[in-house]
Amino acid sequence: QAVLTQPSSLSASPGASASLTCTLHSDINVGTYSIYWYQQKPGSPPQYLLRYKADSDKQQGSGVPSRFSGSKDASANAGILLISGLQSEDEADYYCMIWHSSACVFGGGTKLTVL
Amino acid sequence: QITLKESGPTLVKPTQTLTLTCTFSGFSLTTSGVGVGWIRQPPGKALEWLALIYWNDDRRYSPSLKSRLTITKDTSKNQVVLTITNMDPIDTATYYCAHTLLYSDELGYWGQGTLVTVSS
């Protein structure tokens, strides 16, 4: 079982909301981690979106619209990236990341299609 | 304005050692809390974190690749160098360097990446 698991793909309609999940290995508790989210468009490097640990401990990336937000589902041991008011330009790959045992770990990424 | 740029060979042979250089501007690796890391991405696949070095020379490595990686810095040249020994075709990837800050730990600024192909 991977440290971080993301669904490989997700589709949503323009104007709708999309919830991208990042499930942590069962041996580690999402409550103790900051979850980082990155967006990557074809041919470009990843761009940092935000960090979420709790409502009291979060950070939005510079210039990142507020319609990108983070949360957690403790019952699912997962971090969530919520994108509201989907736009065609949001179509991209999204990666979650944590720091675990002094090393950085990425999830396998979710390809978001807006159609 | 923070910028980073990766450079190095585009083609290496199996078993060779790869040396990549990240040249940056807009910050200094002598500033407390600053770090530079390396991440790679095989064609069509996910990101994989490799290594990171902080201003105080603290170094972190991917556990699965630690035996093959060395990261160093040259603060006078504003450069970070990553070496990977014993290259294999599965190491074919785009290699990125990125800026980070201790305590916040986001990879906030990325270079454009450099594609390295491993082939005989």
Side-chain angles (χ1 to χ4, degrees):
Chain A
Q1 183 184 3
V3 175
L4 300 176
T5 301
Q6 298 181 251
S8 58
S9 64
L10 181 67
S11 296
S13 301
S17 295
S19 181
L20 286 69
T21 59
C22 175
T23 303
L24 278 65
H25 191 284
S26 56
D27 288 347
I28 58 179
N29 183 349
V30 69
T32 63
Y33 289 86
S34 286
I35 312 293
Y36 300 79
W37 288 94
Y38 297 85
Q39 177 193 67
Q40 186 180 32
K41 297 182 179 180
S44 295
Q47 177 187 351
Y48 170 62
L49 293 175
L50 57 88
R51 175 184 65 83
Y52 184 89
K53 185 171 185 180
D55 284 345
S56 60
D57 186 359
K58 59 185 179 181
Q59 177 196 50
Q60 199 80 353
S62 176
V64 176
S66 59
R67 57 194 188 82
F68 290 85
S69 62
S71 67
K72 290 180 179 178
D73 181 347
S75 65
N77 203 33
I80 298 169
L81 175 68
L82 179 66
I83 311 173
S84 59
L86 276 169
Q87 302 176 3
S88 58
E89 66 199 50
D90 298 331
E91 187 161 291
D93 293 328
Y94 292 84
Y95 293 92
C96 60
M97 183 196 94
I98 63 170
W99 282 92
H100 176 60
S101 299
S102 298
C104 181
V105 181
F106 285 97
T110 295
K111 181 176 183 61
L112 175 64
T113 301
V114 180
L115 45 66
Chain B
Q1 179 188 2
I2 289 177
T3 64
L4 304 99
K5 186 174 183 179
E6 306 85 354
S7 60
T10 57
L11 179 66
V12 298
K13 291 179 167 48
T15 76
Q16 286 186 335
T17 293
L18 171 67
T19 299
L20 293 172
T21 300
C22 176
T23 304
F24 56 84
S25 63
F27 67 94
S28 173
L29 255 179
T30 62
T31 302
S32 179
V34 173
V36 172
W38 285 93
I39 305 95
R40 71 179 179 181
Q41 185 173 38
K45 296 189 177 181
L47 301 168
E48 179 182 22
W49 179 80
L50 299 175
L52 188 145
I53 188 165
Y54 288 106
W55 85 103
N56 60 357
D57 218 33
D58 182 15
R59 306 173 196 200
R60 312 287 174 87
Y61 292 103
S62 165
S64 62
L65 293 167
K66 184 175 183 177
S67 64
R68 298 174 55 207
L69 301 177
T70 302
I71 189 169
T72 59
K73 59 181 172 66
D74 185 332
T75 55
S76 66
K77 294 182 179 179
N78 279 351
Q79 291 180 335
V80 171
V81 175
L82 179 74
T83 61
I84 308 177
T85 61
N86 194 24
M87 291 291 283
D88 183 273
I90 63 170
D91 296 313
T92 294
T94 295
Y95 287 78
Y96 298 99
C97 62
H99 168 278
T100 190
L101 291 173
L102 192 62
Y103 310 125
S104 58
D105 290 328
E106 79 276 12
L107 298 165
Y109 300 88
W110 294 63
Q112 287 298 308
T114 185
L115 176 61
V116 178
T117 301
V118 185
S119 174
S120 55

